[in-house]
Amino acid sequence: IFGLLITMSVHEFGHYLLLTRYDVPIKRYGFGIPLIYFIPLPFPVAYVEPDAIKMKEMKKTHYMAAISSGIAFNVFLSIALVFLPISGLALFSGFFGLLLTINVGVALMNAMPLFLTDGSYFLRKVVGERFYLFDILFVAIIIYGSFI
């Protein structure tokens, strides 16, 4: 769980940094436990909540940079974990290997165009809100495929 918290902190810090760079105020940020029908899920989440009005007023390129910055920071952390000479050949074992694996997983998951991920927000900005229908279809195909 500690590795997941580090990875999520780096990811959300990327969003925070670019949003403040583009003068978008941050309403709140932090960690939490997601609930589905008042049942807590077994993993933590991190979040940065920007001012929604200022987000809509952003230039398209700034918006897309701010959305993709979390994934970019995950990529930077992955590169750092691979090339840092801290543990030599044992880099891929133990905590650093686990952190690298979690970090790559979080980056890939956020890049996919699923509900409320960075990839979804990015694609919606590129193709417009009609992408939401594709979003629903994509998830329906995944769910249907899991039962086959």
Side-chain angles (χ1 to χ4, degrees):
I1 294 216
F2 185 65
L4 188 58
L5 292 174
I6 290 172
T7 297
M8 290 186 307
S9 297
V10 167
H11 180 93
E12 295 303 327
F13 181 69
H15 292 308
Y16 179 86
L17 207 61
L18 256 73
L19 287 167
T20 54
R21 164 74 174 87
Y22 295 130
D23 298 322
V24 176
I26 304 299
K27 287 182 174 180
R28 62 186 140 208
Y29 55 90
F31 294 97
I33 300 293
L35 299 174
I36 294 184
Y37 299 111
F38 302 105
I39 300 171
L41 297 180
F43 55 86
V45 294
Y47 63 93
V48 171
E49 184 182 346
D51 183 271
I53 295 170
K54 287 285 191 177
M55 282 287 287
K56 289 182 181 178
E57 295 172 354
M58 288 177 79
K59 291 181 1 183
K60 188 175 186 176
T61 54
H62 290 177
Y63 179 91
M64 293 168 76
I67 291 299
S68 59
S69 63
I71 297 170
F73 270 57
N74 286 128
V75 169
F76 297 149
L77 177 60
S78 296
I79 291 169
L81 287 170
V82 168
F83 291 108
L84 276 178
I86 292 175
S87 61
L89 296 175
L91 181 66
F92 293 103
S93 63
F95 178 71
F96 289 110
L98 180 63
L99 185 59
L100 178 63
T101 304
I102 292 170
N103 194 50
V104 169
V106 167
L108 290 174
M109 189 268 315
N110 272 288
M112 291 191 305
L114 297 173
F115 293 111
L116 303 176
T117 62
D118 298 341
S120 176
Y121 290 122
F122 189 90
L123 254 85
R124 285 181 187 171
K125 194 65 169 183
V126 171
V127 299
E129 287 300 317
R130 66 181 180 274
F131 178 72
Y132 183 72
L133 295 175
F134 174 76
D135 219 1
I136 294 171
L137 178 64
F138 183 74
V139 172
I141 289 170
I142 291 174
I143 292 170
Y144 176 73
S146 67
F147 288 109
I148 294 179

